Amino acid sequence: MAAPTTRLFFCLRRQERRLISWRRLWGSFRASFSSSSSSLRRELSPGGMRERAGRDPGLFWGSLAREELLWEAPHHTDCQWDFARGTARWFLGGRLNVAVNCLDRHAQHSPDRVALIWEKDEPGTEEKVTYRELLDMTCRLANTLKKNGIKKGDRVAIYMPVSPLAVAAMLACARIGVVHTVVFAGFSAESLAGRINDSECKAVITCNQGLRGGRIIELKKTVDEAVKKCPSIKRVFVAQRTTSKIHMRSHDVLLEEEMAKVSSICPPEIMDSEDMLFMLYTSGSTGKPKGIVHTQAGYLLYAAITHKHVFDLKQDDIFGCVADIGWITGHSYVVYGPLCNGCTTVLFESTPVYPDPGRYWETVERLKINQFYCAPTALRLLLKYGDEYVKKYDRSSLTILGSVGEPINHEAWQWFYDVVGDGRCTVVDTWWQTETGGICIAPRPSEKEAEIIPAIAMRPFYGINPVLMDEKGNILEGGDVSGALCIAQPWPGMARTIYGDHQRFIEAYFKTYPGYYFTGDSAYRTKEGYYQITGRMDDVLNISGHRLGTAEIEDAMDEHPAVPETAVISYPHDIKGEVAFAFIVLKEHTAHPEVVTKELREIVASKIAKYAVPDHVLVVKRLPKTRSGKIMRRLLRRIVTGGVNDMGDITTLDDPSVIAEILDAFENYKAKHPTF
Ligand code: 7RM
C-alpha cells in the first residue's frame, strides 16, 4: 500500500505546486488585464479568440490545453492529422488523468463545493454531493473495480440511470485507465448485449432498478438477460437504487457494500493524451451502431472550453443539463465539461412531465439553476400545456437557455425565449454530434451577442472551419447557399475512430468528400455567413432528439417469419420531430396482418428500444425498386408527404404502377386512422 500512497501524495504535491504557480500567473494576468491593456483585452474577446484559433489552431488549442488542464507531463506536439487516413491526434507526449482534472484539483481547492445535485425522480428529494465526496466515491468505486480484476485498458459497460454513482462509475474508469461505454438505460437487453460484445466488456455496472416518472425500470433483469449472451463478462456490479431485493448470480457484486470495504484513496493511472477515454455507440445509416471512440486530453479540453464559453460560465454557477448520461450530451455537458470546470452540475433523473408539466421550471426555481440545456422535443411537448406551468415558478436565476439534439422550430424557440426566459436570457441553439465530442456551431460566444437569429445555430465555435459542398464535391462559397456540411480541419474533441473498425470510420466520415470530415447533415449559409442546420442527408432518423438508423429498424423487423421485406422512412411528428414510418410486405396468405404489425412493434421494442417502435406500419404488396433491385425510399417519402405530383426522376423505377398501388394503401390507412 505504501508505494501507491506515496505516489498519490507526490502527484498531489505536484498538482499543488502547479496550481500555485498558475494562481500567480493568473494574478499577474488579471493585473495586466485590468490595467487596461487593450491589446490583451482584444486577445481574450470572442473576436480575438476566434482570430487566434483561425490563424493557428494548433497553437491556440495547445496553449489552452496548458492553461486549462492539469498535466503530469506537458505535450510536445499540438496536433498531427491526415483526413485522408481519418486521423487526428492532439497534445502528443502529454500525460494526465481525466478524473484528477475533474475531481482532485477542485477537491483540493474547494472540497465543500457542490459537484452534483441529484434531482431525483420525486421532486423535493434532491441530494447534493460535494467535490470531496465525489472524489471519495470515485476512488472507492475504482478500488472495487481493481479488486475484481478490472485493469487499465479493459472495457466496462455502464447501464445506469442518471445518478451520482453513475458519474462516479464513469470517473472511476477514467481514474484507472478503463474505457467506459455507457449504454442508455432505455435500451433493450439485445442492444446492450450487442454493445457489450462489440467492445468485449469485462464487466457491467448497473442498478437493481431505475425510477423514472414514478415508474420502475427493471435494469438488473435486463442486464441478466443480456449477459447470458456475453462471454466476456466476468462481473456485474449492482447498485441499490430502490428497496427491491437483488437476485444475486455468481458473478454479481453488491456495489455499495464492496465500496464501503475498500480504501477511499486510489492513485490515478497516468494516461497518454491519445489513450482511449470512452466509447459511445451511435447509429449510422447502415449496419449496427458504431462504437465512437473519444480520447483523454482533447475530448476533455474541448468539452470544458465549449461548456465555459457557449454557456458563459461563472464561478459558482449551477448548470442544468437535463440529458441522460447515456447520450453524448450527458457525457460532455452533465459530466466531463462541468466537472472539469469545477462548477455544480445537475443530474436530472425524472421526465419533463412528472409529476406535471411544470417539473423543469419548478426544478429551476428550487435549485436556482443558471443555465438550462434541453432538447426541442421537450419544449414542443411542454408548450402545448400553456404558459401557466412556467410562470408560476421563479426563473430569475436563469441566464442562458440551450437547445440540442435536433433542429429547433420557430415556435419552440420563441416560447423558450419569451416565456421561459422572459425575453431576458440568451437562447443558444447548439449543433454538434456524438462524433464531434462537443458543440461545434452555436450563437455564442460572439462580440455581437445581441445579434441572435431565432432558431439557427449560427456561428462556428473557435477553431471550427465549416464548409458546404455541392453534390459534386465542389466547395460552395458565399452566402445564401445550401449543401453538405463538412469540417475542414481537426479540433481536439473530434472522434478518433470507430472501435475495432477504422476502415468504417474512414468510409463513414472521410470518403464522401475526400480531405474533409462529413457530418451527414445538410446546412444553409445565410448572406451574413451564419449556419442553419437543415437535417440529415442519410438514412438516420432523429426521434425526440435520439439518433436511429432506418436500417436498424428494418433489420429487426426482417426477423419476423411472415415479413420478407421492409422499408423504413422518416415521417414528421409535432412533438417528437420525426417518427419511423414502416412499409412492410407480407408473405402470401398471411391470415392476420394486424397481428403481424403488433408483433413487429414488439420485436423492435425488444431488439432495440421502445422509442424505436414505428408510429406507422403500412402493409403494401411490394416496395418501389430500381431495376437493379434497390428500394427507392425517396419515392416512399414523396408518397406519404403528399408530393405525388412531383415524384422526381423515376426512370430507374422497375414498375411505375407500384406508386398508385402504395398511394391507395396509404389512403386506406389514413381513413382507418382518423388522428393521422
Ligand atoms: C448532440 C447530439 C447528432 C445529430 C446531428 C444532427 C442532429 C443535433 C442539432 C441537430 C439541428 C441542432 N448528438 N442535431 N443538434 N440538428 N440543430 N442544434 O445530438 O450524435 O445524438 O446526434 O443530431 O442531425 O447530426 S447525436
Side-chain angles (χ1 to χ4, degrees), residues 328-329 404-407 429-434 521 533 536 542 547:
I328 191 69
T329 308
V404 61
E406 47 175 333
D429 170 14
T430 64
W431 174 87
W432 59 294
Q433 313 175 293
T434 306
D521 284 318
I533 313 302
R536 295 291 306 190
N542 194 323
R547 255 167 90 159

Side-chain angles (χ1 to χ4, degrees), residues 454-525:
I456 87 167
M458 296 184 77
R459 301 177 173 98
F461 191 72
Y462 305 145
I464 297 294
N465 186 358
V467 289
L468 300 181
M469 303 277 189
D470 70 11
E471 287 119 48
K472 297 195 188 85
N474 302 312
I475 293 184
L476 296 162
E477 307 280 357
D480 195 20
V481 288
S482 290
L485 177 64
C486 296
I487 304 179
Q489 285 165 0
W491 62 102
M494 68 182 289
R496 301 299 194 257
T497 191
I498 291 172
Y499 187 74
D501 198 349
H502 192 69
Q503 198 49 41
R504 189 174 176 202
F505 187 66
I506 298 175
E507 303 278 335
Y509 306 106
F510 299 96
K511 266 276 160 70
T512 325
Y513 302 99
Y516 296 85
Y517 166 78
F518 175 43
T519 63
D521 284 318
S522 55
Y524 168 73
R525 186 167 48 226

Side-chain angles (χ1 to χ4, degrees), residues 280-283 292 327-330 333 373 376 403-408 428-439 441-442 455-457 485 517 519-522 532-538 540-542 545-548 578:
L280 186 62
Y281 284 84
T282 194
S283 297
I292 298 294
W327 311 110
I328 191 69
T329 308
Y333 301 110
Y373 197 24
S403 147
V404 61
E406 47 175 333
I408 183 166
V428 287
D429 170 14
T430 64
W431 174 87
W432 59 294
Q433 313 175 293
T434 306
E435 296 87 338
T436 68
I439 295 166
I441 308 183
I456 87 167
L485 177 64
Y517 166 78
T519 63
D521 284 318
S522 55
Q532 175 174 24
I533 313 302
T534 40
R536 295 291 306 190
M537 296 179 75
D538 51 13
V540 171
L541 304 180
N542 194 323
H546 302 328
R547 255 167 90 159
L548 203 64
E578 285 177 27

Side-chain angles (χ1 to χ4, degrees), residues 408-410 413-414 417 427 429 452-458 532:
I408 183 166
N409 51 314
H410 275 83
W413 191 97
Q414 210 61 49
Y417 182 77
V427 171
D429 170 14
I452 288 189
I453 303 171
I456 87 167
M458 296 184 77
Q532 175 174 24

Side-chain angles (χ1 to χ4, degrees), residues 98 102 156 158 162 166-167 170-171 179-184 277-281 292 294 299-300 303-304 307 319 321 323-340 345 347 373 432 434 437-438:
V98 167
C102 290
V156 165
I158 300 175
V162 185
V167 175
M170 294 164 77
L171 294 169
V179 177
H180 62 68
T181 177
V182 182
V183 179
F184 172 57
L277 174 62
F278 67 83
M279 67 180 101
L280 186 62
Y281 284 84
I292 298 294
H294 284 287
Y299 169 79
L300 184 66
H307 177 245
F319 186 78
C321 168
D324 194 283
I325 50 155
W327 311 110
I328 191 69
T329 308
H331 283 61
S332 302
Y333 301 110
V334 175
V335 181
Y336 288 111
L339 294 179
C340 187
T345 180
L347 310 178
Y373 197 24
W432 59 294
T434 306

